[in-house]
Amino acid sequence: MIAEKMKEMVANSSAIRAMFEEGNRLAQIYGPENVYDFSLGNPNIPAPEALTKAMKDVLLEEDPVELHGYTNSNAGYADVREAVARNLNERYGTSFEGKNITMTVGAAGGLNVILKTLINPGDEVIVFAPYFGEYRSYVNNYDGVLVEISPDTETFQPKLVEFEEKISPKTKAVIVNNPNNPTGVVYGEETIKRLAAILEAKQKEYGTDIYLISDEPYRELVYGGARVPFLTKYYDNTIIGYSFSKSLSLPGERIGYLVIPDEVTDSEEVISAANVATRILGFVNAPTLQQKAVARCLNEKADLAFYDRNRETLYEGLKKAGFSCIKPEGAFYLFVKSPVEDEKEFCTRAKKYNLLLVPGSSFGCPGFVRLAYCVAYDTIVRSLPKFEKLAAEYREME
Amino acid sequence: MIAEKMKEMVANSSAIRAMFEEGNRLAQIYGPENVYDFSLGNPNIPAPEALTKAMKDVLLEEDPVELHGYTNSNAGYADVREAVARNLNERYGTSFEGKNITMTVGAAGGLNVILKTLINPGDEVIVFAPYFGEYRSYVNNYDGVLVEISPDTETFQPKLVEFEEKISPKTKAVIVNNPNNPTGVVYGEETIKRLAAILEAKQKEYGTDIYLISDEPYRELVYGGARVPFLTKYYDNTIIGYSFSKSLSLPGERIGYLVIPDEVTDSEEVISAANVATRILGFVNAPTLQQKAVARCLNEKADLAFYDRNRETLYEGLKKAGFSCIKPEGAFYLFVKSPVEDEKEFCTRAKKYNLLLVPGSSFGCPGFVRLAYCVAYDTIVRSLPKFEKLAAEYREME
């Protein structure tokens, strides 16, 4: 008999994963080349060659006892943490030290570590719909209460008036995801400044600390010169969660970091609790070989031109077919309006053409569907006639 | 302001880790060769060459998109899970399939996954003192209640009479650690049969399921022909947590697995919940390169002769110095009786000689200290005169 809380979790288990597993099933029946799987953010381009080389090099150069051993601190190798801090300082003009960096088991691990560190049962955590559905589970892990800000389905920018209204004395944290999954929009500097001002005022009004947790696995994936503000510069109580999964195409290796700046209230206590949380949640430390490898590749990134071509082709193709969606500036997702109110019905109909899409309800935004375009270019090209047929079906129904 | 629960955790933070960090500090002052750090189970022998070769080979041979991507199931690569199942079947005459295996972020990750899967707030989890202190944190993560069985300080075998008395209708799980950390004793077949019979009878009496969780990172580390029973063969509701950390000297890489046999009550539900727990706790999947690498090394193990020599030399040396301890049959720990009741005082006095020991209170067994002998042989040899001086201090006080 499994735990009560898990029964609910299993029942509501990730629609994204379910669709991904459905894709594997269909691929076995129809052949993988005839399935258009836009379900999962699993990059289709290989890790940069420099990263593969770095892995080989550390295997050759480092003492295996040190390389594969526990790290001295649960937060990771001192030299790796310092390298990450230096690299951020160079890129963003910040002044982090190694102690401000906690290496984590991807961003998912990092978010769990920081939520375990901060959240008391009943504490409220605000998210802006549409949001990555896993936030709900992560907050639930620590008996926090997820508070949703409704989506602005025109721009998919955060609704700041509603945000201000929903901040309460119980608000402990706000999670933003920039560039955003599932919409691909970027929250620009003006938005962030307004958001920070609201948080500052509310902290004063309630005499509380409200931590802004910025989940940034897509930081490097931006197109057309879009700029992603670095949030620690706008609001003191900011904690950043990063993952190398998307920027270096290694989501399976589980490597990322948290930045906990000195400016955060009770910074030392938060850093030391994050260290303990890393241990007791069972992560113990981020995988060591990958710590050493990514530290050698901090300026590398995935082939953006590949994603950009996918973005343009899919966006234009869908528009031509008659679908409506906002053009993403970052990440590798398109968030498309469902031609019918019930977007799950739309997903089911799409599946008849072996088109795998994820319902927007999974992201707190029904009426839309998410397409992950981190797939082979060919998949996109060959999927477009299917999307056209799908659109035609809906036109006939009108 | 960190979470209330974390304040307690930070305050009681692992004495093992604290001692390990103290060791690093002393090493900087006195030089690493003059510090005798017996605090942490961080293997001092390199991973088998076959494992390093396997890592290099998978980097050469496997498609990087597949190798570093998310696995199709959160439980891990299908071929890796099948290889682990086959290997267990060959060694133990079991009949597991890939579906019974969940690849985990080490044993610590695996224990968190299975406790998240099973434990409701208030459920009781029984442990036999002395026990690995982290069990307390893991159970606390899910608001379970740890119930200790007092230690038999003569044999360090489980006290089965007390065990039987303490099983209640709220008992959801029992954790055993075989070979044992911190004592190095092995629970033999007769003990396991009696333990299983008690559990069977109590399940019937209360109409409940009591899961036996066997934490086995030291399974391969046994000396003098000691045999470690494979627990799924003795009790249906057994779940095994394994780690390659010690057997392959790669604790930093975070790779292990859970075995959830078909014989477990609601097996399919437990397997599927463990899959979801792996995802929502933020592990997502065990590091993929290491999954592929260990799958090629399932019959490899660390150099046992190295540990055995350390065991003999340290055990004989301590006995000669006048200390008293049970001779371990497995793992790489010695559990030594403190010459004074307050073993923390003993640890403090030992530190004057740069001898780093962990107080038994961390394992629910005050009056003893743990020495991890997975250190360089030379460290042991050079530590013995220090232990003799330390023993002499106590003799003078008598």
Side-chain angles (χ1 to χ4, degrees):
Chain A
M1 184 79 89
I2 63 170
E4 289 301 321
K5 218 169 156 179
M6 281 307 296
K7 281 188 189 163
E8 207 179 306
M9 289 289 174
V10 172
N12 302 329
S13 184
S14 168
I16 303 177
R17 273 283 165 178
M19 198 55 88
F20 180 63
E21 288 174 16
E22 176 70 2
N24 290 322
R25 197 183 66 80
L26 292 175
Q28 287 190 342
I29 302 174
Y30 300 102
E33 70 286 5
N34 297 314
V35 177
Y36 313 97
D37 186 352
F38 296 102
S39 66
L40 192 67
N42 201 9
N44 189 263
I45 50 177
E49 276 178 31
L51 183 68
T52 303
K53 181 172 182 309
M55 292 181 198
K56 289 176 185 162
D57 287 349
V58 296
L59 282 170
L60 280 172
E61 292 164 19
E62 303 253 352
D63 168 18
V65 169
E66 160 86 4
L67 177 60
H68 305 303
Y70 291 124
T71 55
N72 283 355
S73 158
N74 296 105
Y77 288 118
D79 61 337
V80 171
R81 297 165 71 195
E82 280 155 24
V84 169
R86 266 196 315 273
N87 182 266
L88 290 173
N89 296 344
E90 281 161 20
R91 291 162 65 197
Y92 302 110
T94 48
S95 50
F96 302 128
E97 296 171 42
K99 71 174 159 66
N100 300 115
I101 309 296
T102 301
M103 300 303 295
T104 61
V105 172
L111 287 175
N112 273 279
V113 163
I114 199 62
L115 291 170
K116 171 85 178 172
T117 297
L118 296 176
I119 302 300
N120 288 306
D123 280 353
E124 291 172 358
V125 179
I126 296 181
V127 293
F128 297 94
Y131 58 88
F132 181 44
E134 295 291 89
Y135 296 159
R136 178 170 292 280
S137 308
Y138 302 163
V139 170
N140 181 278
N141 283 341
Y142 312 102
D143 299 311
V145 176
L146 198 80
V147 175
E148 287 185 21
I149 309 302
S150 67
D152 174 343
T153 52
E154 291 302 311
T155 65
F156 293 114
Q157 291 291 326
K159 279 188 175 171
L160 294 180
V161 174
E162 186 180 333
F163 174 58
E164 188 166 9
E165 286 165 6
K166 283 193 173 163
I167 298 174
S168 87
K170 299 191 99 177
T171 305
K172 189 65 176 280
V174 177
I175 306 179
V176 294
N177 180 208
N178 201 22
N180 183 263
N181 172 10
T183 64
V185 305
V186 171
Y187 300 169
E189 187 167 36
E190 277 316 302
T191 305
I192 295 301
K193 279 183 178 167
R194 284 174 57 210
L195 189 145
I198 292 167
L199 285 172
E200 292 289 3
K202 286 291 178 182
Q203 285 195 140
K204 268 198 199 121
E205 180 183 342
Y206 296 132
T208 55
D209 281 299
I210 307 175
Y211 295 92
L212 178 61
I213 301 173
S214 185
D215 178 27
E216 308 189 347
Y218 305 102
R219 162 165 290 282
E220 276 77 21
L221 305 188
V222 285
Y223 316 103
R227 298 195 60 164
V228 184
F230 197 77
L231 297 201
T232 63
K233 300 166 80 172
Y234 298 87
Y235 180 67
D236 280 352
N237 264 338
T238 297
I239 291 164
I240 287 180
Y242 183 78
S243 167
F244 294 94
S245 293
K246 319 293 179 171
S247 60
L248 296 180
S249 285
L250 75 172
E253 302 293 359
R254 316 306 304 129
I255 182 80
Y257 57 79
L258 287 169
V259 186
I260 305 172
D262 288 346
E263 290 73 17
V264 161
T265 309
D266 303 323
S267 173
E268 273 188 42
E269 198 184 10
V270 175
I271 288 172
S272 118
N275 196 49
V276 173
T278 298
R279 203 187 74 229
I280 66 180
L281 288 175
F283 299 112
V284 183
N285 54 236
T288 44
L289 168 63
Q290 300 300 346
Q291 285 193 45
K292 291 281 185 186
V294 297
R296 295 178 180 213
C297 297
L298 294 171
N299 289 318
E300 294 291 331
K301 59 183 167 186
D303 180 4
L304 278 186
F306 172 89
Y307 290 131
D308 202 8
R309 184 168 74 149
N310 280 2
R311 177 181 75 120
E312 292 289 349
T313 308
L314 187 57
Y315 173 75
E316 295 300 333
L318 290 172
K319 238 177 42 179
K320 201 177 136 219
F323 292 105
S324 134
C325 86
I326 200 163
K327 190 168 183 181
E329 292 187 279
F332 41 48
Y333 305 106
L334 278 173
F335 206 53
V336 178
K337 193 161 165 47
S338 166
V340 284
E341 204 183 320
D342 177 6
E343 90 280 7
K344 289 183 184 166
E345 191 269 347
F346 177 51
C347 291
T348 306
R349 199 173 291 267
K351 208 157 60 178
K352 286 196 313 183
Y353 297 95
N354 287 347
L355 293 166
L356 300 183
L357 321 174
V358 181
S361 321
S362 309
F363 307 95
C365 190
F368 289 80
V369 298
R370 188 190 79 170
L371 281 73
Y373 59 79
C374 50
V375 299
Y377 179 66
D378 183 53
T379 302
I380 290 178
V381 172
R382 287 185 303 104
S383 75
L384 292 178
K386 310 285 175 188
F387 278 110
E388 277 167 22
K389 281 188 194 157
L390 178 62
E393 267 200 52
Y394 281 100
R395 273 196 301 275
E396 276 163 30
M397 279 186 275
E398 270 170 11
Chain B
M1 183 80 91
I2 64 170
E4 290 302 320
K5 217 169 158 179
M6 282 307 296
K7 282 187 189 163
E8 207 179 305
M9 289 289 173
V10 172
N12 302 329
S13 183
S14 168
I16 304 175
R17 271 282 165 178
M19 199 56 89
F20 180 62
E21 289 175 16
E22 176 70 4
N24 290 322
R25 197 184 66 80
L26 293 175
Q28 287 189 340
I29 303 173
Y30 300 104
E33 70 286 4
N34 296 314
V35 177
Y36 312 99
D37 186 352
F38 297 103
S39 65
L40 192 68
N42 200 10
N44 191 264
I45 49 175
E49 275 176 34
L51 182 66
T52 302
K53 181 173 180 309
M55 291 181 201
K56 289 177 185 163
D57 288 349
V58 296
L59 282 169
L60 280 173
E61 293 163 20
E62 303 252 351
D63 168 18
V65 170
E66 160 87 5
L67 177 60
H68 305 304
Y70 291 124
T71 55
N72 282 355
S73 157
N74 296 106
Y77 288 118
D79 61 335
V80 170
R81 297 164 72 195
E82 279 154 24
V84 169
R86 265 197 314 274
N87 183 266
L88 290 173
N89 295 343
E90 281 160 19
R91 290 161 66 197
Y92 302 110
T94 48
S95 49
F96 302 126
E97 296 170 42
K99 71 174 158 74
N100 301 113
I101 309 297
T102 300
M103 300 303 295
T104 62
V105 171
L111 287 174
N112 272 280
V113 164
I114 199 63
L115 291 170
K116 172 84 179 171
T117 297
L118 296 176
I119 301 300
N120 288 305
D123 280 353
E124 292 173 358
V125 178
I126 296 180
V127 293
F128 297 95
Y131 58 89
F132 181 44
E134 295 289 271
Y135 295 159
R136 179 170 290 281
S137 308
Y138 301 163
V139 169
N140 181 279
N141 284 340
Y142 312 103
D143 300 311
V145 176
L146 198 81
V147 174
E148 288 185 20
I149 309 302
S150 67
D152 173 343
T153 53
E154 291 302 312
T155 65
F156 292 112
Q157 291 292 326
K159 278 186 173 173
L160 294 180
V161 174
E162 186 180 333
F163 174 59
E164 188 166 11
E165 285 165 5
K166 283 194 173 162
I167 298 175
S168 87
K170 299 190 100 178
T171 305
K172 188 67 177 275
V174 178
I175 306 178
V176 294
N177 180 208
N178 201 21
N180 184 264
N181 172 9
T183 63
V185 306
V186 171
Y187 301 170
E189 186 167 35
E190 277 316 302
T191 305
I192 295 301
K193 279 185 178 166
R194 283 175 55 212
L195 188 146
I198 291 167
L199 285 172
E200 292 288 4
K202 286 290 177 181
Q203 285 195 138
K204 266 198 201 121
E205 181 182 343
Y206 296 132
T208 55
D209 281 298
I210 307 175
Y211 294 93
L212 178 61
I213 301 173
S214 186
D215 178 27
E216 307 190 347
Y218 305 102
R219 161 165 291 282
E220 277 78 22
L221 305 189
V222 286
Y223 315 103
R227 299 196 61 163
V228 185
F230 197 77
L231 296 202
T232 64
K233 299 166 81 171
Y234 298 87
Y235 180 66
D236 280 351
N237 265 338
T238 297
I239 291 164
I240 288 181
Y242 183 79
S243 167
F244 294 94
S245 294
K246 319 294 179 174
S247 59
L248 296 181
S249 284
L250 75 171
E253 302 293 358
R254 316 307 302 131
I255 181 80
Y257 58 79
L258 288 169
V259 186
I260 306 171
D262 288 346
E263 289 74 16
V264 161
T265 308
D266 303 323
S267 173
E268 273 187 43
E269 198 183 11
V270 175
I271 289 172
S272 120
N275 196 47
V276 173
T278 298
R279 204 188 74 231
I280 66 180
L281 287 174
F283 299 113
V284 183
N285 52 237
T288 43
L289 167 65
Q290 301 300 347
Q291 285 192 45
K292 291 281 185 185
V294 298
R296 294 178 179 212
C297 298
L298 294 170
N299 289 318
E300 294 291 328
K301 59 183 168 183
D303 179 6
L304 278 184
F306 172 91
Y307 290 131
D308 201 9
R309 184 168 74 149
N310 280 2
R311 177 181 77 121
E312 291 288 350
T313 308
L314 187 59
Y315 174 75
E316 294 300 334
L318 289 173
K319 239 177 41 179
K320 200 176 136 222
F323 292 105
S324 133
C325 88
I326 200 162
K327 188 166 185 182
E329 291 188 278
F332 41 48
Y333 305 106
L334 277 173
F335 206 54
V336 178
K337 194 162 166 45
S338 166
V340 285
E341 202 182 321
D342 177 6
E343 90 279 6
K344 289 181 184 168
E345 191 270 346
F346 177 51
C347 290
T348 307
R349 197 173 290 269
K351 207 156 60 175
K352 286 197 312 182
Y353 297 94
N354 288 347
L355 293 166
L356 300 184
L357 322 174
V358 181
S361 320
S362 308
F363 307 95
C365 190
F368 289 78
V369 298
R370 188 191 80 170
L371 282 72
Y373 59 78
C374 49
V375 300
Y377 180 66
D378 183 54
T379 302
I380 289 177
V381 172
R382 287 184 304 105
S383 75
L384 291 178
K386 309 285 173 185
F387 278 112
E388 275 167 22
K389 280 186 192 157
L390 178 63
E393 267 201 50
Y394 281 102
R395 274 195 301 273
E396 275 162 31
M397 280 185 277
E398 269 167 13

